[in-house]
Amino acid sequence: MKKIEIITRTFKLDEVKTALSGIGVKGMTVNEVKGFGRQGGHKEVYRGAEYQVDFVPKIKIDVVVEDDFASEVVAAATKAAQTGQVGDGKIFVSPVDEVVRIRTGETGEEAI
Amino acid sequence: MKKIEIITRTFKLDEVKTALSGIGVKGMTVNEVKGFGRQGGHKEVYRGAEYQVDFVPKIKIDVVVEDDFASEVVAAATKAAQTGQVGDGKIFVSPVDEVVRIRTGETGEEAI
Amino acid sequence: MKKIEIITRTFKLDEVKTALSGIGVKGMTVNEVKGFGRQGGHKEVYRGAEYQVDFVPKIKIDVVVEDDFASEVVAAATKAAQTGQVGDGKIFVSPVDEVVRIRTGETGEEAI
Amino acid sequence: MNFVDNAFILICAALVMFMTPGLALFYGGLVRSKNVLATIMQSFIMLGLVSVLWAICGYSLAFGTDIGGLIGGLDFVFLNGVGMDNAGSPAENLPHLTFMIFQCMFAVITPALISGAFAERMKFGGFMVFSALWLLLVYAPLCHWVWGGGWMGEMGALDFAGGAVVHMSSGAAALCCCILIGKRKGHGSTAFIPHNLPMTILGAGILWFGWFGFNAGSALAADGIAANAFVTTHMATAAAALSWLVAEWAHGGKATTLGAASGAVAGLVAITPAAGFVTPMWAIVIGFGAGFICYGGIMLKNKLGYDDALDVVGIHGLGGTFGALATGVFATIGAEGLIAGNAEQLWIQFVSVVATWGFSFVMTFIIFKAVDKTIGLKATDEEQDRGMDIAEHSETGYQW
Amino acid sequence: MNFVDNAFILICAALVMFMTPGLALFYGGLVRSKNVLATIMQSFIMLGLVSVLWAICGYSLAFGTDIGGLIGGLDFVFLNGVGMDNAGSPAENLPHLTFMIFQCMFAVITPALISGAFAERMKFGGFMVFSALWLLLVYAPLCHWVWGGGWMGEMGALDFAGGAVVHMSSGAAALCCCILIGKRKGHGSTAFIPHNLPMTILGAGILWFGWFGFNAGSALAADGIAANAFVTTHMATAAAALSWLVAEWAHGGKATTLGAASGAVAGLVAITPAAGFVTPMWAIVIGFGAGFICYGGIMLKNKLGYDDALDVVGIHGLGGTFGALATGVFATIGAEGLIAGNAEQLWIQFVSVVATWGFSFVMTFIIFKAVDKTIGLKATDEEQDRGMDIAEHSETGYQW
Amino acid sequence: MNFVDNAFILICAALVMFMTPGLALFYGGLVRSKNVLATIMQSFIMLGLVSVLWAICGYSLAFGTDIGGLIGGLDFVFLNGVGMDNAGSPAENLPHLTFMIFQCMFAVITPALISGAFAERMKFGGFMVFSALWLLLVYAPLCHWVWGGGWMGEMGALDFAGGAVVHMSSGAAALCCCILIGKRKGHGSTAFIPHNLPMTILGAGILWFGWFGFNAGSALAADGIAANAFVTTHMATAAAALSWLVAEWAHGGKATTLGAASGAVAGLVAITPAAGFVTPMWAIVIGFGAGFICYGGIMLKNKLGYDDALDVVGIHGLGGTFGALATGVFATIGAEGLIAGNAEQLWIQFVSVVATWGFSFVMTFIIFKAVDKTIGLKATDEEQDRGMDIAEHSETGYQW
Ligand SMILES: Nc1ncnc2c1ncn2[C@@H]1O[C@H](COP(=O)(O)OP(=O)(O)O)[C@@H](O)[C@H]1O
Ligand SMILES: Nc1ncnc2c1ncn2[C@@H]1O[C@H](COP(=O)(O)OP(=O)(O)O)[C@@H](O)[C@H]1O
Ligand SMILES: Nc1ncnc2c1ncn2[C@@H]1O[C@H](COP(=O)(O)OP(=O)(O)O)[C@@H](O)[C@H]1O
């Protein structure tokens, strides 16, 4: 099985969720994160002193899926999250050895 | 080594922590996340307009352990987190190549 | 490619970021987490009742890099985050199969 | 000069002043966290901008010697002749300065109210210019018409504490602005859920508290009328908080905390023109009505689809209008409405409603267009995505 | 009629009104974030519910013509005969409406106080019915007994601003409710840590501020007694904030911010019955005592194990009782207590304490059981897990 | 005795009391979230500590029978002879207790102001001892000098509501403390960004509101002077909020919400010594000046590099000094300044400025050193890392 981590803009959450649901993803886990990258941050001012804030709010969506479903999920997420502007984010795919559904104790692809 | 990600109900944090400590886990890292799954979300109302909120607050507990300790950890976490109701969550196990303890620079199983 | 997860003290964020930027890391994703470990937590008091809070605020920095860049990143992060006191945190390195840059659809090392 | 009344009105002025930070929080809690400061700012800074303008010429335009029933003369510019005794004071019992500053607080909050309509997308620079012009070209004349010796007061329109001057005028301006500026990015597809409802409830609590100064203080004396206005204000507000909950419960199944707060504000608005003219039991009736009507108005907005972000039209526009008409119906104290057999009063109130909406809407339209063409008013989509706090003020509300 | 007193009491009434949103925040900050709105609501909406009931018949039951020392008659239902002058006013110097609305604010906050005991697990619908009944069946009679011409006042019990009427009555009701409703899910195993202490401190600040209206206003005139009540209120509160910190520091090693706020409220409660009767230095003594005693009461709760979520019994029940007895000891102004050689007063105070606790506890028991059987009062475990905000109001407090 | 004035000053005292929780929030929002409670506490607990000390001997040291122009005698220790009538009251029109408690609120907020300078690194125990000593050894004498019959008032120094007594004294103490205690860990390398600006704005709103009691109440009567002080306070504050924004905008390109709040406080500070002596239009001038000057002062701090965490020196020290001198220039009501042809007044003001800064700085130095050597004042780096809330109070501000 694969874990797909989608890091993208916060306001894209709904669109990505809908896209993934649409192709049959049944579950995902979302996290508010801060990203550092080419997009750059912004200036903040505090009583006349300027600070550069390098981190931009992003969301990270983790989805674990069967091996052969992974590329479809990646494609759907890419499509839904893309704006074409710097800062759209990344998708990371990594191996998962085992999945357990806590409620039932099921394991493997059954458990996803 | 293995990374075990336990995604479960927020109020189960203490029980899972105690269970894992009980079998000898020395460290873990916890995250507040939002989950989407079979459990479904809830309705919110804002001045007469209804919104469906699909995300439910969950916690994610990351534990990195030696390979042959992993299944015991998974079993203990499953037991502690189970309520039997939809929404109990998932456990994902994935490979870790290397671990470093920042304080000492130790690596590998020493560092866990 | 490798994912490097650096879990360390919150006030080390800037130093680690600067160190990694310094050796050429172009992007990273940061998360506020709570850590449980040897460092121990603290006592809280609420109207005369004492509670032990086991979790300490930490930050987790995720960086995905090319395979052969990984050890350099780990070394730089270790150096920047080290105070020598219990609670400095851990670095976990794990395999990543694929990376996609959402903006362009590029994949692999191009996309990092 | 009456020292009791002076003490009372000074304290009431302080209470009314406190409403503006209260409004800032009421509005601030309702927006998304990336816009909290910009929203708060658009209320808070009116304390700065409007007060100074009021001293320079706003007060004079509103309360200077009447010119043709339309506007005040320039006698009081730079607070010239506005002194520590009652010389020249429209309220003989009060030091002229006391009267002036009490009125100042009303002027401050009115443009702040409008800002709820275009929240989360208005640029700060343009907003300041818009508000300055609106104060001088809409608020000051209207205030003169009603309280400064102008035609509306002369006609006999009843407006105890600002149903027309404050609430209808800002409601009409809000409608105009939110149509002209257009929707927020994401409107219709994204849910704009309040980021901090406790902050909004706190704001509502402060508004309720301060409104006693607004309405009871409008008696301009610590007499029985003030007592009555105080009681009617409280009772209408209480009733409206309840009826909004009933409406919600009947409509959607759940009574909400925001509903209680919104209902309270609707009740405060509706009783404002009536406070000194009706009895407490009629105030309860007005309050009950206001909760239902303003709730209905917001349902309507959702149907019509314009993006009045924080429901200024539904609450202040509609609530103020209902209150003005209800005053024409239920007035029995120091004036006679329909139930006292004086149907004409209702007609007069109706005229004042139409005139206020018309005047405010048209003038707002002109001012908005002028500022939009010259300085620009709407933030870009990209700025809206980042949030107005960073885009306009280089600040963020919270760091956890 | 005295215009100075009218001005003073109207402003005091506004201050007392502000205490209820203050209480909402004080309580709201102490619960977990998933219950913040439901908790706030149970205070805030009392402004709506109780005020309307007060106008309909609550005021009349409390202050109508005395019937057998037990309850007021129906003379003032629907505020009939409650007017802008002092005709029929229990306070001759005040417009009847002013007296009525000042009393209304006391009625509003009392059931709100109880809600702290069953926080985080009470359903909203049942809560509303419970509170309405409690107001009419417990608060109104008690208020009549003490201030409306009833037997307790006649007996000579001293209660300057509501030690019995407000604090003991709500404390006793709180004890009864939290036993009957049972514990929150997780009680004993989970730590229920406050989610937003700055909000609680803000609430405490507002309470302290508003309480000047509560206690000084209870002089019903802007005289030296009011000045004295103002000063005793402030000094007792200050002393109690300090002594709570000392208790904490001696007991656990750390002085906490919540301790300072809790001590302040304990001091405010304890001085309430005494405010106009004791001198400022005795007020400091009472305050010091209150901090220690209420802290001790909470320790006791932790031992006894009932789940009085926000310590209404420990602070209002115990603090009010201590204050009532202390009044019997230290009264020297306009009344004589033990130190003035009048031991009987202490006995009278003791009788009033027993009667208040007994009456409130028994009546609350009956009302609670009746509502619980018919409508249901406790949220399910599943609802408590999701949080009362979503379960009962379909809202969440914060979105970051 | 005048009942109107009594009513007015009691309400004003309540308003001034409310400023201290307001300050707690103003400061609390500006620190990092791990220090929010400790920061709030250092203001809030002054309500406890200072009030009790004031009753015991502080009031007597300030207002007891003058001893050599330097300090008050012990006539009023334990509030001996401070009663419900005006016997012995420095203000004949007020009950002695009313005068005492109004002054008490000023004493409370002054040491609280200082705490902004050493925020995020001061230990609580030492802070309490430091503040107690500072109150008795710095505030009480200074208060006596200016208002209690001491040499500064006799010399003719004008300080309407506390430019010297409250703001310069705390500003000078702040400068001394922040140099002596040293910088926060991370100063210079880390950005210390406010964790909750809406909380700060709320605090500023409460301060503005309460300050009406501070300044208008300092007329000690509900007369035209009070009305004038009310108006000048509002206008200067409004102007300073605007001018701070202009300074920011000219300097860095963005007007900030914190700037509006900071400017408002700067204006409030600067008008404090002048409020009853200048006309509203000059107040606007003073306010405009204050915004620019205090903004400049903070720029200077950034250059000089001392760690005045929340800018007490820049705002209270500088603003108070500017206001004191401006009073010497613009006074025309009940006193004559430079523009009224009385250049000497400016010289007198100058002397009072130097004396206040000198006295407060030197005394603070001694007290700080003494407490630091015996009890210890600075938190360790490790404690600063964990946060003062956990280290000093075993609490955390928020749990989400
Ligand atoms: N190497 C990386 N490792 C982890 N996260 C990364 C990495 N590179 C980028 N990111 C994440 O992706 C986000 C977007 O990257 P950025 O370089 O700004 O734009 P783009 O994705 O358009 O190239 C960053 O804010 C960060 O959260
Ligand atoms: N495929 C998945 N990938 C990542 N997280 C998942 C996935 N499926 C479920 N989850 C997480 O597990 C939680 C519980 O899943 P859910 O389907 O509601 O119930 P259950 O675990 O009982 O089947 C979700 O809220 C989500 O956080
Ligand atoms: N086995 C583990 N799995 C996941 N996270 C861990 C593990 N061990 C430690 N951590 C994380 O590292 C942090 C520091 O660990 P700790 O044992 O306190 O000190 P040190 O790193 O100095 O040995 C913890 O707070 C926790 O977040």
Side-chain angles (χ1 to χ4, degrees):
Chain A
M1 289 148 296
K2 296 292 179 195
K3 174 156 117 174
I4 301 165
E5 295 177 69
I6 306 155
I7 298 162
T8 191
R9 302 178 193 276
T10 48
F11 63 86
K12 281 292 189 180
L13 174 58
D14 273 343
E15 281 174 63
V16 174
K17 189 203 69 190
T18 309
L20 299 193
S21 293
I23 59 166
V25 169
K26 288 278 173 304
M28 59 191 97
T29 299
V30 176
N31 218 325
E32 282 165 24
V33 296
K34 289 176 182 168
F36 170 83
R38 286 163 192 78
Q39 184 188 357
H42 61 265
K43 197 185 67 173
E44 293 207 13
V45 179
Y46 169 53
R47 284 194 175 152
E50 285 191 11
Y51 300 102
Q52 182 59 27
V53 175
D54 290 322
F55 293 97
V56 185
K58 299 277 169 192
I59 44 151
K60 181 160 90 80
I61 307 171
D62 287 1
V63 203
V64 172
V65 295
E66 301 82 351
D67 284 337
D68 33 351
F69 188 29
S71 61
E72 196 183 335
V73 169
V74 169
T78 307
K79 194 161 157 247
Q82 206 170 57
T83 70
Q85 305 297 309
V86 180
D88 275 355
K90 312 273 173 185
I91 299 177
F92 304 133
V93 183
S94 54
V96 168
D97 298 343
E98 183 58 289
V99 175
V100 179
R101 186 193 306 278
I102 293 174
R103 170 164 46 98
T104 57
E106 286 162 287
T107 57
E109 305 202 344
E110 306 286 278
I112 295 180
Chain B
M1 290 147 295
K2 297 291 180 194
K3 173 156 117 176
I4 301 164
E5 295 178 70
I6 306 155
I7 298 162
T8 192
R9 301 177 193 276
T10 48
F11 63 85
K12 281 291 189 181
L13 174 58
D14 273 343
E15 281 174 63
V16 174
K17 188 203 70 189
T18 309
L20 298 193
S21 292
I23 59 168
V25 169
K26 288 281 173 303
M28 59 191 97
T29 300
V30 176
N31 217 324
E32 282 165 24
V33 297
K34 288 177 184 169
F36 170 83
R38 287 164 191 77
Q39 186 187 355
H42 61 266
K43 197 184 68 173
E44 292 207 14
V45 179
Y46 169 51
R47 284 196 175 150
E50 286 191 9
Y51 300 101
Q52 182 60 27
V53 175
D54 291 322
F55 293 98
V56 184
K58 298 278 170 191
I59 44 150
K60 181 160 91 78
I61 307 171
D62 287 2
V63 203
V64 172
V65 296
E66 301 83 351
D67 285 338
D68 34 352
F69 187 29
S71 61
E72 196 183 334
V73 170
V74 169
T78 308
K79 193 158 159 249
Q82 206 170 58
T83 71
Q85 304 297 310
V86 179
D88 275 356
K90 313 274 172 184
I91 299 178
F92 303 132
V93 183
S94 54
V96 168
D97 297 343
E98 183 59 287
V99 174
V100 179
R101 186 192 307 277
I102 294 173
R103 168 163 48 97
T104 57
E106 286 161 289
T107 57
E109 305 203 344
E110 306 286 278
I112 294 181
Chain C
M1 290 147 295
K2 296 291 179 196
K3 173 157 119 177
I4 300 164
E5 294 177 71
I6 306 155
I7 298 164
T8 193
R9 301 178 194 276
T10 49
F11 63 85
K12 281 291 189 181
L13 175 58
D14 273 343
E15 281 173 64
V16 174
K17 189 203 70 190
T18 309
L20 299 193
S21 292
I23 59 167
V25 169
K26 289 279 173 305
M28 58 191 97
T29 299
V30 176
N31 217 325
E32 283 164 23
V33 297
K34 289 175 182 169
F36 170 84
R38 287 163 192 78
Q39 185 188 355
H42 61 266
K43 195 185 69 172
E44 292 207 14
V45 179
Y46 169 52
R47 284 196 175 149
E50 285 192 10
Y51 300 102
Q52 182 60 27
V53 175
D54 291 322
F55 292 97
V56 185
K58 298 277 170 193
I59 43 147
K60 182 160 89 78
I61 306 171
D62 287 2
V63 203
V64 173
V65 296
E66 301 82 352
D67 285 338
D68 33 351
F69 188 30
S71 61
E72 196 183 335
V73 170
V74 169
T78 307
K79 194 161 158 247
Q82 207 170 56
T83 71
Q85 305 296 310
V86 179
D88 275 356
K90 313 274 172 184
I91 299 177
F92 304 133
V93 183
S94 55
V96 169
D97 297 344
E98 183 59 289
V99 174
V100 180
R101 185 193 307 278
I102 293 174
R103 169 162 48 96
T104 56
E106 286 161 287
T107 57
E109 305 202 344
E110 307 285 278
I112 294 180
Chain D
M1 197 172 111
N2 183 316
F3 289 97
V4 182
D5 295 344
N6 187 34
F8 185 62
I9 298 304
L10 285 178
I11 301 295
C12 285
L15 289 173
V16 182
M17 176 268 151
F18 198 33
M19 289 171 69
T20 296
L23 182 70
L25 298 168
F26 184 77
Y27 279 173
L30 292 175
V31 298
R32 288 164 293 169
S33 61
K34 64 183 175 182
N35 298 318
V36 60
L37 295 177
T39 303
I40 283 178
M41 183 71 154
Q42 292 185 355
S43 292
F44 189 83
I45 199 58
M46 290 299 102
L47 283 164
L49 182 68
V50 171
S51 303
V52 172
L53 287 175
W54 193 247
I56 294 175
C57 63
Y59 176 68
S60 198
L61 292 175
F63 292 97
T65 314
D66 178 60
I67 302 179
L70 292 176
I71 193 80
L74 299 181
D75 351 15
F76 300 140
V77 287
F78 294 104
L79 298 182
N80 192 15
V82 181
M84 291 191 287
D85 52 28
N86 61 355
S89 171
E92 279 193 358
N93 55 332
L94 297 175
H96 200 163
L97 279 169
T98 299
F99 180 81
M100 182 281 297
I101 200 73
F102 183 64
Q103 288 295 336
C104 177
M105 302 310 184
F106 286 63
V108 164
I109 201 170
T110 309
L113 289 171
I114 307 172
S115 70
F118 44 67
E120 306 199 295
R121 60 199 188 282
M122 177 73 112
K123 289 171 90 79
F124 181 63
F127 164 78
M128 290 293 272
V129 176
F130 171 82
S131 298
L133 293 173
W134 196 89
L135 181 85
L136 299 178
L137 301 179
V138 184
Y139 185 84
L142 249 175
C143 180
H144 181 77
W145 294 1
V146 178
W147 295 326
W151 69 272
M152 223 185 248
E154 291 300 305
M155 177 179 74
L158 300 176
D159 188 2
F160 193 74
V165 180
V166 175
H167 298 291
M168 270 190 271
S169 72
S170 58
L175 182 61
C176 181
C177 287
C178 75
I179 292 172
L180 290 182
I181 199 170
K183 297 175 185 177
R184 284 168 288 181
K185 188 191 164 205
H187 186 260
S189 59
T190 319
F192 297 129
I193 293 186
H195 90 285
N196 192 336
L197 281 178
M199 184 189 282
T200 294
I201 312 294
L202 166 60
I206 293 175
L207 285 171
W208 193 329
F209 173 56
W211 221 294
F212 289 122
F214 205 89
N215 284 3
S218 287
L220 295 175
D223 55 11
I225 302 281
N228 188 59
F230 190 108
V231 173
T232 55
T233 299
H234 187 68
M235 290 298 169
T237 307
L242 291 182
S243 66
W244 188 296
L245 294 190
V246 171
E248 282 190 323
W249 175 72
H251 179 242
K254 291 283 182 189
T256 68
T257 316
L258 175 59
S262 306
V265 176
L268 288 162
V269 168
I271 199 63
T272 293
F277 299 123
V278 302
T279 63
M281 290 314 293
W282 287 123
I284 290 182
V285 171
I286 293 174
F288 268 115
F292 288 120
I293 286 170
C294 295
Y295 184 80
I298 288 169
M299 295 301 94
L300 209 65
K301 172 197 83 165
N302 292 343
K303 291 241 167 81
L304 295 177
Y306 57 88
D307 186 14
D308 176 11
L310 309 181
D311 293 312
V312 187
V313 182
I315 293 180
H316 297 274
L318 228 63
T321 304
F322 170 65
L325 298 177
T327 307
V329 175
F330 298 115
T332 55
I333 300 175
E336 301 192 330
L338 191 63
I339 64 163
N342 179 11
E344 206 202 323
Q345 188 64 49
L346 187 54
W347 170 247
I348 295 177
Q349 296 301 100
F350 180 75
V351 173
S352 77
V353 166
V354 172
T356 305
W357 274 88
F359 177 69
S360 176
F361 194 96
V362 170
M363 290 299 290
T364 303
F365 188 94
I366 296 168
I367 298 169
F368 190 99
K369 282 290 182 191
V371 179
D372 198 24
K373 287 275 142 63
T374 48
I375 308 187
L377 282 166
K378 190 168 188 181
T380 63
D381 279 7
E382 213 272 311
E383 288 167 335
Q384 292 183 47
D385 280 338
R386 285 235 158 166
M388 303 304 293
D389 293 2
I390 289 172
E392 289 294 300
H393 304 292
S394 290
E395 288 174 300
T396 35
Y398 311 96
Q399 308 276 347
W400 301 118
Chain E
M1 197 172 109
N2 182 317
F3 289 97
V4 181
D5 296 345
N6 187 34
F8 185 62
I9 299 303
L10 286 178
I11 301 295
C12 285
L15 288 173
V16 183
M17 176 268 151
F18 197 35
M19 291 171 67
T20 296
L23 182 70
L25 297 168
F26 183 78
Y27 278 174
L30 291 175
V31 298
R32 289 163 292 170
S33 61
K34 64 183 176 182
N35 298 317
V36 60
L37 294 177
T39 302
I40 284 178
M41 184 71 154
Q42 291 185 355
S43 291
F44 189 82
I45 199 59
M46 290 299 101
L47 282 164
L49 182 69
V50 171
S51 303
V52 171
L53 287 175
W54 193 248
I56 293 176
C57 63
Y59 175 68
S60 197
L61 292 175
F63 292 98
T65 313
D66 177 59
I67 302 179
L70 292 176
I71 192 80
L74 298 180
D75 350 15
F76 300 141
V77 288
F78 293 105
L79 299 182
N80 193 16
V82 182
M84 291 190 287
D85 53 29
N86 62 355
S89 171
E92 279 193 358
N93 55 333
L94 296 175
H96 200 164
L97 279 169
T98 299
F99 180 81
M100 182 281 297
I101 199 73
F102 183 64
Q103 288 295 336
C104 176
M105 302 310 183
F106 286 63
V108 164
I109 202 171
T110 309
L113 288 171
I114 308 172
S115 71
F118 44 65
E120 307 200 293
R121 59 200 189 282
M122 177 72 112
K123 290 171 90 80
F124 181 64
F127 165 77
M128 290 292 274
V129 175
F130 170 82
S131 299
L133 292 173
W134 196 89
L135 180 86
L136 298 178
L137 301 180
V138 184
Y139 184 83
L142 249 175
C143 180
H144 182 78
W145 294 2
V146 179
W147 295 327
W151 69 270
M152 223 186 248
E154 291 301 305
M155 178 179 73
L158 299 176
D159 187 3
F160 192 74
V165 180
V166 174
H167 297 292
M168 269 190 270
S169 72
S170 58
L175 182 60
C176 182
C177 287
C178 75
I179 293 172
L180 290 182
I181 199 169
K183 297 174 185 176
R184 283 168 289 181
K185 188 191 163 204
H187 185 259
S189 58
T190 319
F192 297 130
I193 293 186
H195 89 285
N196 193 336
L197 281 178
M199 185 189 283
T200 293
I201 313 295
L202 166 60
I206 293 176
L207 285 171
W208 194 330
F209 173 56
W211 221 295
F212 290 122
F214 203 90
N215 284 5
S218 287
L220 295 175
D223 55 11
I225 302 281
N228 188 59
F230 189 108
V231 172
T232 56
T233 300
H234 186 70
M235 289 299 170
T237 307
L242 290 182
S243 68
W244 190 295
L245 293 191
V246 171
E248 281 190 322
W249 175 72
H251 178 242
K254 292 282 182 189
T256 68
T257 316
L258 176 58
S262 306
V265 175
L268 288 163
V269 167
I271 199 63
T272 293
F277 300 123
V278 302
T279 63
M281 289 315 291
W282 287 122
I284 290 182
V285 172
I286 293 174
F288 268 114
F292 288 119
I293 285 171
C294 294
Y295 185 81
I298 288 170
M299 294 300 94
L300 210 65
K301 173 196 84 164
N302 292 342
K303 291 243 167 80
L304 295 177
Y306 59 88
D307 185 14
D308 176 11
L310 309 180
D311 292 311
V312 186
V313 182
I315 293 180
H316 297 274
L318 228 63
T321 304
F322 170 65
L325 297 177
T327 308
V329 176
F330 298 115
T332 55
I333 300 174
E336 301 191 330
L338 191 64
I339 63 162
N342 179 11
E344 207 203 322
Q345 188 64 49
L346 187 53
W347 171 248
I348 294 177
Q349 296 301 101
F350 180 76
V351 172
S352 77
V353 166
V354 173
T356 305
W357 274 88
F359 178 68
S360 176
F361 194 95
V362 170
M363 290 300 290
T364 302
F365 189 95
I366 296 169
I367 298 169
F368 190 100
K369 283 290 183 191
V371 179
D372 198 24
K373 287 274 142 59
T374 48
I375 308 188
L377 283 166
K378 190 168 187 180
T380 65
D381 279 7
E382 212 273 310
E383 288 166 336
Q384 291 183 48
D385 279 339
R386 285 235 157 168
M388 303 305 292
D389 293 2
I390 288 171
E392 289 294 299
H393 303 293
S394 291
E395 287 174 299
T396 34
Y398 311 96
Q399 310 276 347
W400 301 117
Chain F
M1 197 173 109
N2 182 317
F3 289 97
V4 181
D5 295 344
N6 187 35
F8 185 63
I9 299 303
L10 286 178
I11 301 293
C12 285
L15 288 173
V16 182
M17 176 268 151
F18 197 34
M19 290 171 67
T20 295
L23 182 70
L25 298 168
F26 184 77
Y27 279 174
L30 290 176
V31 298
R32 289 164 291 169
S33 61
K34 64 184 177 182
N35 298 318
V36 60
L37 294 177
T39 303
I40 284 178
M41 184 70 154
Q42 291 185 356
S43 291
F44 189 84
I45 199 59
M46 290 299 102
L47 282 164
L49 182 69
V50 171
S51 303
V52 171
L53 287 175
W54 193 248
I56 293 174
C57 63
Y59 176 67
S60 198
L61 293 176
F63 292 98
T65 313
D66 178 59
I67 302 179
L70 291 176
I71 193 79
L74 298 180
D75 351 14
F76 300 139
V77 287
F78 294 105
L79 298 182
N80 193 17
V82 181
M84 291 191 286
D85 52 28
N86 61 355
S89 171
E92 279 194 357
N93 55 332
L94 296 175
H96 200 163
L97 279 169
T98 299
F99 179 81
M100 182 281 296
I101 200 73
F102 183 65
Q103 288 295 336
C104 176
M105 302 310 182
F106 285 63
V108 165
I109 201 170
T110 309
L113 288 171
I114 307 172
S115 71
F118 43 67
E120 307 200 293
R121 60 200 187 280
M122 176 72 113
K123 291 172 88 80
F124 182 63
F127 164 78
M128 289 292 273
V129 176
F130 170 81
S131 298
L133 292 173
W134 196 89
L135 181 85
L136 299 177
L137 301 179
V138 184
Y139 185 84
L142 249 176
C143 180
H144 181 77
W145 294 1
V146 179
W147 295 326
W151 70 270
M152 222 185 248
E154 291 300 305
M155 177 179 73
L158 299 176
D159 187 3
F160 193 74
V165 180
V166 175
H167 298 290
M168 269 189 272
S169 73
S170 58
L175 182 62
C176 181
C177 287
C178 75
I179 293 171
L180 290 181
I181 199 169
K183 297 176 186 178
R184 284 168 288 180
K185 188 191 162 204
H187 185 259
S189 60
T190 320
F192 297 129
I193 293 186
H195 89 286
N196 192 337
L197 281 178
M199 184 189 282
T200 294
I201 312 294
L202 166 61
I206 293 176
L207 285 171
W208 194 329
F209 173 57
W211 221 295
F212 290 122
F214 204 90
N215 284 4
S218 287
L220 295 175
D223 56 10
I225 302 282
N228 188 58
F230 190 108
V231 172
T232 54
T233 300
H234 186 68
M235 290 299 168
T237 308
L242 290 183
S243 67
W244 190 295
L245 294 191
V246 171
E248 282 190 322
W249 175 72
H251 178 243
K254 292 283 183 188
T256 69
T257 316
L258 176 58
S262 307
V265 176
L268 289 162
V269 168
I271 198 63
T272 293
F277 299 123
V278 302
T279 62
M281 290 315 292
W282 286 122
I284 291 182
V285 172
I286 292 174
F288 268 114
F292 288 119
I293 285 170
C294 295
Y295 184 81
I298 289 171
M299 294 302 93
L300 209 65
K301 172 196 84 165
N302 292 342
K303 291 239 167 85
L304 295 176
Y306 58 88
D307 186 14
D308 176 10
L310 310 181
D311 293 311
V312 186
V313 182
I315 293 180
H316 297 274
L318 228 62
T321 304
F322 170 64
L325 297 177
T327 307
V329 176
F330 299 114
T332 55
I333 299 175
E336 300 192 329
L338 190 64
I339 63 163
N342 179 11
E344 206 203 323
Q345 188 63 50
L346 186 55
W347 170 248
I348 295 177
Q349 297 300 103
F350 179 76
V351 172
S352 77
V353 166
V354 173
T356 305
W357 274 88
F359 178 70
S360 176
F361 194 96
V362 170
M363 291 298 291
T364 302
F365 188 95
I366 297 168
I367 298 169
F368 190 99
K369 282 290 183 192
V371 179
D372 198 23
K373 286 274 142 63
T374 49
I375 308 188
L377 282 167
K378 189 167 187 180
T380 64
D381 279 7
E382 212 273 312
E383 288 165 336
Q384 291 182 48
D385 279 340
R386 285 236 156 166
M388 303 304 292
D389 293 1
I390 288 171
E392 288 294 299
H393 304 292
S394 291
E395 288 174 300
T396 34
Y398 310 96
Q399 309 276 347
W400 301 118

